[in-house]
Amino acid sequence: MIDFKCVDHILITIPPGSKEAARAFYGQVLQLKEIKGNHPNGAIWYEIGNIQLHIREEEGHKADSDRHPAFEVNDLPAAKKFLKKDDISISYSSEIEGRERCFFRDPFGNRFELIEYKK
């Protein structure tokens, strides 16, 4: 058995030549803090909650996959309002008992889920 402790980071891909557009979206629109450094494979790293989001240019990037990370948020209505102010489309899926959730995609087609557990 592996004694897992926590998620450390998530890696997503973007098409080649998209690094500055990714910085604009993640750093300016989503207002994530970039972790400066010379990261492997030219990746860009951001702090997102208590983990890191790694973004790397990659040939064959698939923009329409349903694969996604899910992030718990403290205030889902506020998060949706924040996304809508920048005209980021929000979508919904099947309901899951005990939680509210929604999805959005970055400009490169990567899908993200936001979850708020009902109290």
Side-chain angles (χ1 to χ4, degrees):
M1 175 174 123
I2 299 173
D3 185 16
F4 290 103
K5 183 176 177 182
C6 67
V7 173
D8 179 76
H9 71 272
I10 295 168
L11 171 74
I12 61 168
T13 64
I14 56 175
S18 306
K19 195 179 284 189
E20 290 314 308
R23 278 196 166 97
F25 181 75
Y26 288 97
Q28 295 169 17
V29 174
L30 294 186
Q31 301 177 6
L32 299 180
K33 181 180 176 193
E34 184 172 346
I35 301 166
K36 299 291 185 185
N38 185 19
H39 305 298
N41 300 306
I44 307 167
W45 292 8
Y46 288 97
E47 291 179 9
I48 187 165
N50 63 350
I51 64 168
Q52 295 178 3
L53 177 64
H54 297 180
I55 302 167
R56 184 176 70 202
E57 294 177 324
E58 186 173 283
E59 290 290 336
H61 167 77
K62 186 167 171 46
D64 60 353
S65 174
D66 281 342
R67 292 176 291 186
H68 64 276
F71 297 96
E72 183 181 357
V73 297
N74 289 315
D75 187 342
L76 187 59
K80 291 191 288 189
K81 184 178 178 180
F82 178 83
L83 294 171
K84 286 179 181 178
K85 79 172 177 54
D86 284 300
D87 295 321
I88 297 170
S89 295
I90 297 171
S91 63
Y92 301 89
S93 186
S94 58
E95 291 187 22
I96 298 176
E97 188 175 329
R99 66 187 85 173
E100 298 288 331
R101 66 188 184 138
C102 69
F103 297 87
F104 72 94
R105 290 187 185 269
D106 71 6
F108 317 100
N110 293 301
R111 187 177 190 220
F112 295 87
E113 181 176 1
L114 302 178
I115 297 173
E116 182 179 7
Y117 286 89
K118 294 179 183 176
K119 297 173 176 48

